[in-house]
């Protein structure tokens, strides 16, 4: 059965020069199976204005995947990396036992996702990863996956993250990974799956069957999560540990 997570279901913990719409994937289950959506904890859809600095702060036991859709976020961290993160420049902060970072917007606006995943266990080694990818591919691109996968960036749990940028009129099949359930998020644009229409900041899943092919009504950016709902993870994360 298809289940839609509508945009009005989200919370907004921060508004102003730094605005966050917080998507909790577990809400799409409507408490049918679990209060958690596997290791996928929270998706923060953020808007950041010029001149903003989110000062150096620490994360512990969060796997944080940064996906910039527009603009440039300047990253600085406790390991000494200072990197502009732009569309196509992926960043994964595997916070483990502790990792500090700072974000600055020097020009224009930034729209991005910060995706929080629970690691297999607490207090793993902290590290950071980067990867450059195409920014306008119309089919699916595998961005992140478990350490044993072929993904260019690894996340320390049973989850895959893909994106696609299909155009109006395209029909796109949704990848199927055996034992993994989909959570399909519309970053921008509009799509239809059977009788359901999904706009910006909306999502859909089906925990019993693969998602049917989707039709693109407006040029879209889609982020697909394939999650092992049976996988356990640490609940000690600064953000990802919240139920």
């Amino acid at each position: 059965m298809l289940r839609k997570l509508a945009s009005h279901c989200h919370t907004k913990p921060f508004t102003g020069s730094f605005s966050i719409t917080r998507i909790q994937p577990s809400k799409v289950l409507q408490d049918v199976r679990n209060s958690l959506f596997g290791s996928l904890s929270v998706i923060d859809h953020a808007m950041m204005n010029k001149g903003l600095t989110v000062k150096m702060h620490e994360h512990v036991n969060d796997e944080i995947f940064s996906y910039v859709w527009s603009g440039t976020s300047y990253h600085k961290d406790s390991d000494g990396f200072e990197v502009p993160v732009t569309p196509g420049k992926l960043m994964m902060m595997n916070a483990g036992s502790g990792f500090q970072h700072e974000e600055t917007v020097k020009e224009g606006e930034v729209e991005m996702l910060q995706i929080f995943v629970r690691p297999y266990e607490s207090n793993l080694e902290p590290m950071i990863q980067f990867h450059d990818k195409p920014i306008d591919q119309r089919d699916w691109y595998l961005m992140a996956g478990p350490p044993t996968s072929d993904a260019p960036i690894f996340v320390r749990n049973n989850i895959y993250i893909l994106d696609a940028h299909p155009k109006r009129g395209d029909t796109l099949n949704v990848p199927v990974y055996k034992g993994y359930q989909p959570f399909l998020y519309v970053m921008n644009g509009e799509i239809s799956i059977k009788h359901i229409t999904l706009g910006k900041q909306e999502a859909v899943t089906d925990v019993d069957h693969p998602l049917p092919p989707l039709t693109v009504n407006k040029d879209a950016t889609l982020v697909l999560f394939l999650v092992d709902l049976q996988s356990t993870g640490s609940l000690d994360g600064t953000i990802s540990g919240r139920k």
Side-chain angles (χ1 to χ4, degrees), residues 1 10 45 56 60 79-80 84 92 100 115 123 131 143 156 172 182 197 200 221 226 241:
M1 178 179 175
H10 310 321
H45 193 140
M56 192 71 70
V60 177
D79 276 358
M92 176 72 78
Q100 296 186 23
I115 298 155
N123 300 320
H131 175 69
M143 299 186 291
R156 293 179 292 200
L172 204 58
T197 298
K200 183 170 180 147
T221 293
L226 293 162

Side-chain angles (χ1 to χ4, degrees), residues 69 138 165-170 186-191 216-222:
W69 183 66
R138 290 166 80 151
H165 305 268
K167 303 296 184 184
R168 179 181 177 183
D170 286 354
V186 180
M187 178 89 189
N188 195 62
E190 183 182 283
I191 64 171
V216 182
N217 304 329
K218 298 178 183 177
D219 292 1
T221 293
L222 308 175

Side-chain angles (χ1 to χ4, degrees), residues 112-174:
M112 66 180 294
L113 302 181
Q114 282 199 320
I115 298 155
F116 294 87
V117 175
R118 301 178 182 94
Y120 292 120
E121 57 185 272
S122 300
N123 300 320
L124 297 169
E125 178 186 0
M127 61 185 68
I128 189 166
Q129 307 171 66
F130 298 94
H131 175 69
D132 294 318
K133 67 173 291 293
I135 61 174
D136 58 359
Q137 88 287 345
R138 290 166 80 151
D139 209 343
W140 297 104
Y141 184 95
L142 176 60
M143 299 186 291
T148 56
S149 73
D150 294 330
I153 282 179
F154 67 81
V155 53
R156 293 179 292 200
N157 214 317
N158 294 347
I159 181 172
Y160 292 86
I161 308 174
L162 304 87
D163 79 336
H165 305 268
K167 303 296 184 184
R168 179 181 177 183
D170 286 354
T171 298
L172 204 58
N173 291 322
V174 181

